Amino acid sequence: REELDNAIEILKNKNICVLQCSSTYPTAPENVGLNVLNEIKNRYKIPYGLSDHTISGATSIAAATMGAKVIEKHFTISKNLYGPDAKYSLNPEEFKRLVEDINYVKNALINKVDKNDIEK
């Protein structure tokens, strides 16, 4: 935490966003650290996000609902490409679906429903 505190202090007048990241490929759900997003939010009062190395889009969706301004997810044109993370990256269709799912859930969250106004 001290290292991040120092970095934030140095860059405090810059346009920055801090991402929570667990750098294992793939990251197991119990190691994602979504709880850290609230710590970043409350401690630094700056934009925050998630560098998501899981095999699921659910963690990115959860981070977005927690106020994450940035979601970083690895992208590949083919899961058969060379490299240690290509097979865990999203292909174009999967990436499109993730963006659609995030927007869908965010839309459901921001549009309030008044049960008194619903017709019977």
Side-chain angles (χ1 to χ4, degrees):
R1 186 182 295 163
E2 183 179 336
E3 184 179 9
L4 184 55
D5 286 347
N6 291 336
I8 300 281
E9 181 62 28
I10 290 168
L11 300 170
K12 67 182 174 186
N13 295 322
K14 306 292 182 196
N15 187 14
I16 63 171
C17 180
V18 173
L19 303 184
Q20 160 55 16
C21 178
S22 297
S23 58
T24 54
Y25 295 90
T27 302
E30 61 272 15
N31 295 325
V32 171
L34 287 175
N35 61 300
V36 176
L37 297 179
N38 285 328
E39 184 176 342
I40 294 169
K41 174 185 176 183
N42 296 328
R43 185 175 182 89
Y44 302 113
K45 314 273 190 270
I46 60 173
Y48 55 93
L50 178 68
S51 178
D52 186 359
H53 298 151
T54 66
I55 58 171
S56 171
T59 46
S60 291
I61 294 167
T65 66
M66 296 174 70
K69 301 298 180 198
V70 172
I71 302 294
E72 181 266 336
K73 194 83 167 156
H74 289 220
F75 178 83
T76 185
I77 55 171
S78 171
K79 292 183 184 272
N80 297 320
L81 289 175
Y82 175 78
D85 61 344
K87 67 182 175 180
Y88 304 117
S89 300
L90 298 181
N91 66 33
E93 188 55 40
E94 291 168 328
F95 196 87
K96 179 178 184 267
R97 178 62 190 217
L98 176 62
V99 171
E100 291 170 348
D101 288 347
I102 288 171
N103 289 333
Y104 185 93
V105 171
K106 287 182 84 172
N107 191 37
L109 286 170
I110 64 172
N111 288 289
K112 307 287 186 228
V113 172
D114 183 346
K115 293 289 191 170
N116 293 320
D117 286 343
I118 297 177
E119 293 183 59
K120 296 180 180 188

